[in-house]
Amino acid sequence: MAISAVKGFRDGLGSAARLYSEIETSAIRVLERYGFSQIRLPILERTELFARAIGETTDIVEKEMYTFPDRDGTLLTLRPEGTASAVRAFVEHHLDQTDSVTKLYYSGPIFRHERPQKGRYRQFEQIGAELFGRDDPLADAEVLTCVRDVLDELGLATARIMINSLGDASCRPKYRERLRAWGEEHRAELCPNCVRRIEKNPLRLLDCKEEGCRKLSETAPLLRDSLCEPCASHFAQVRSLLDAMGVVYEVDPRLVRGLDYYERTSFEVTAEGLGSQAAVAGGGRYDGLVARLGGPKIAAIGFAFGLDRLALAVQAARATAEQDAALALVPAVFIASLGADTRADALALARKLRRLGVRVELDGGRSLKSLMRRADRLGAPRVLILGEDEVAVRRGTLRHMTEQRDEKQAVDFDLEGPALLEAVGVAR
Ligand code: HAM
């Protein structure tokens, strides 16, 4: 029996593989303009790296990691994201000693044991970027602008950027307690998963997909109202810089991320054409992580695009663009057939012109006025009018739309080839 690929793991063939390369090249071109340079990271790390970086009580660490003991018993994990590895490399190679600011990008496969569906796979790819050494709002604004530029480069103009501030070590613990109290109050109405979250990770109460919990979470306290002054001011400055640059975003006060290392500015990007797995990118500030992984106290911010979802979004955007273009096809000649006696000649003329390579729109069965309105809407430069008078003499009237001028009996029905083209005013 033949052996198939593992569930949630796919092959990339032909045009799909080419699209991935194309997107990756475009994204990297933008990232390099922003000064990010490539780092090639291992796919395998010690399990404790991810547990410590992402958080012991996150879904990723609790149930989605591919973890196994190496031959000597060391627990290893196939990377479920890139940030932890980038930070480990930053610390391990003392990159802060080369320059006060370090900007790295990476791309490649990521592994999460999630339930596979459209846009959600167990092996997927990310293109990520991490900026170390800047804690000022200008860095956040620059990173978000970079995200926007990647989206625009890929033709994803309708993708939406959602931002929020998650506070920091001084204001978030207090908020977490308020949220926990709210959770306790509503314990009986929450799903079993959320009941567990009350104790373990109350922030995730805002991110439950269950309808009941989602409705209820609208009554939950918002972090926005608990931010300390420095966090509130940082967020306000990021927003005003984005406003000044015309980078469009929406503030989503309920946005929380599935990884625990975020502080202050956090964001997600959603695109059209993806169904329920609409997030094509996510990121944010993680000022405490470098120190938590044994490095110096250095601020950082970054993001990762999901390449598989970008590919779906780009495909959807191209299909829409093609549809629009098809709808916007402008006929070179519009033939207006007025009355039953004109139909056969109208059809014959349309066919002769089409065979000569002319885009013809043929319409009839309505008043001249409504046919002209449609010809105008389609942007047809000329309308060949066939009424009873025209059919009687076998010569059609040509209306030049921009000049609003009629040439009576200008087109002999029996013309062929170049003579016909010339008569209707279509150059070959
Ligand atoms: P994340 O939001 O977990 O963030 O993942 C980033 C992107 O990876 C998502 O927006 C999505 O497009 C894609 N993705 C996630 N899971 C799957 C899946 N199962 N199948 C297909 N695509 C998926 C991070 O991983 C952070 N490390 C981002 C970051 C970098 N934050 C700061 N720096």
Side-chain angles (χ1 to χ4, degrees):
M1 209 172 71
I3 299 169
S4 59
V6 177
K7 185 177 168 194
F9 290 69
R10 298 152 312 134
D11 301 302
L13 302 169
S15 60
R18 271 201 304 282
L19 182 59
Y20 275 47
S21 304
E22 190 193 315
I23 293 174
E24 199 176 1
T25 307
S26 302
I28 288 172
R29 197 167 43 231
V30 177
L31 294 177
E32 288 186 341
R33 270 184 227 147
Y34 276 81
F36 290 96
S37 59
Q38 193 187 35
I39 181 164
R40 298 177 78 93
L41 294 163
I43 283 170
L44 208 58
E45 300 274 5
R46 291 170 199 279
T47 303
E48 60 179 298
L49 172 69
F50 299 118
R52 226 199 294 166
I54 301 170
E56 298 274 7
T57 60
T58 56
D59 282 355
I60 296 180
V61 172
E62 273 192 341
K63 27 183 205 217
E64 294 171 3
M65 297 206 302
Y66 282 89
T67 297
F68 57 91
D70 202 354
R71 285 169 199 279
D72 64 0
T74 316
L75 270 191
L76 300 178
T77 294
L78 289 175
R79 63 176 180 193
E81 63 122 30
T83 309
S85 302
V87 174
R88 180 205 42 74
F90 177 83
V91 174
E92 192 167 335
H93 302 291
H94 308 286
L95 296 183
D96 60 305
Q97 290 171 15
T98 318
D99 188 352
S100 59
V101 176
T102 304
K103 297 182 194 175
L104 305 172
Y105 78 80
Y106 50 86
S107 65
I110 306 284
F111 304 86
R112 292 184 194 173
H113 196 283
E114 294 190 84
R115 196 168 47 77
Q117 65 180 88
K118 180 183 171 192
R120 187 162 73 193
Y121 314 107
R122 291 182 173 172
Q123 178 178 329
F124 57 98
E125 292 190 43
Q126 280 187 353
I127 305 168
E130 315 292 351
L131 188 166
F132 298 91
R134 298 262 312 273
D135 63 2
D136 53 321
L138 181 58
D140 309 39
E142 201 186 351
V143 158
L144 281 159
T145 309
C146 177
V147 167
R148 182 77 257 170
D149 286 353
V150 170
L151 295 166
D152 290 350
E153 184 88 1
L154 296 174
L156 298 176
T158 59
R160 294 159 61 196
I161 299 180
M162 252 76 70
I163 66 172
N164 192 19
S165 174
L166 295 184
D168 65 7
S170 81
C171 53
R172 198 163 53 201
K174 277 182 231 139
Y175 172 69
R176 195 181 285 128
E177 284 320 307
R178 285 181 62 198
L179 205 53
R180 183 168 284 148
W182 173 86
E184 285 297 353
E185 215 176 287
H186 297 278
R187 180 178 272 272
E189 300 148 81
L190 293 168
C191 75
N193 237 340
C194 279
V195 170
R196 249 176 290 131
R197 287 175 176 142
I198 298 175
E199 259 320 300
K200 285 182 12 191
N201 201 345
L203 241 61
R204 305 288 305 162
L205 289 169
L206 297 179
D207 202 31
C208 185
K209 304 285 176 286
E210 297 276 333
E211 190 52 32
C213 298
R214 265 212 349 237
K215 272 238 151 62
L216 196 62
S217 78
E218 282 167 24
T219 68
L222 293 176
L223 184 51
R224 183 171 61 190
D225 308 320
S226 300
L227 289 181
C228 59
E229 203 286 318
C231 283
S233 150
H234 184 96
F235 195 46
Q237 290 176 67
V238 174
R239 291 183 57 183
S240 74
L241 282 167
L242 292 174
D243 292 340
M245 281 186 293
V247 173
V248 179
Y249 61 87
E250 293 157 55
V251 176
D252 177 356
R254 286 193 176 73
L255 187 149
V256 287
R257 305 266 301 124
L259 307 100
D260 281 352
Y261 48 63
Y262 293 107
E263 282 184 19
R264 295 196 164 174
T265 315
S266 299
F267 50 90
E268 256 170 30
V269 180
T270 58
E272 289 174 355
L274 285 164
S276 63
Q277 303 305 313
V280 291
R285 200 163 254 300
Y286 50 94
D287 293 345
L289 185 60
V290 180
R292 207 159 60 246
L293 292 181
K297 204 172 165 307
I298 279 183
I301 178 167
F303 58 84
F305 280 96
L307 182 52
D308 310 75
R309 292 187 194 169
L310 278 182
L312 289 170
V314 166
Q315 266 170 343
R318 286 184 184 169
T320 313
E322 262 169 38
Q323 251 168 30
D324 287 350
L327 288 174
L329 284 184
V330 178
V333 184
F334 186 104
I335 299 184
S337 153
L338 299 167
D341 295 342
T342 70
R343 286 179 194 150
D345 288 316
L347 186 59
L349 273 167
R351 186 160 189 231
K352 272 202 280 192
L353 284 165
R354 286 173 178 152
R355 285 177 166 226
L356 291 167
V358 181
R359 184 172 298 142
V360 179
E361 182 64 19
L362 171 63
D363 200 352
R366 284 180 286 148
S367 70
L368 179 62
K369 200 169 153 197
S370 78
L371 291 174
M372 293 313 271
R373 211 179 299 130
R374 178 155 181 255
D376 193 40
R377 194 162 40 75
L378 293 179
R382 281 163 231 87
V383 179
L384 181 57
I385 303 168
L386 303 193
E388 278 167 21
D389 291 351
E390 281 79 10
V391 169
V393 294
R394 297 192 58 70
R395 298 176 82 93
T397 295
L398 196 64
R399 175 166 299 180
H400 298 270
M401 297 294 277
T402 39
E403 303 148 45
Q404 288 289 305
R405 177 172 61 86
D406 281 354
E407 253 184 282
K408 294 245 181 255
Q409 301 181 2
V411 181
D412 185 333
F413 291 3
D414 299 314
L415 290 175
E416 300 280 346
L420 176 61
L421 292 176
E422 197 179 332
V424 292
V426 181
R428 268 222 97 144

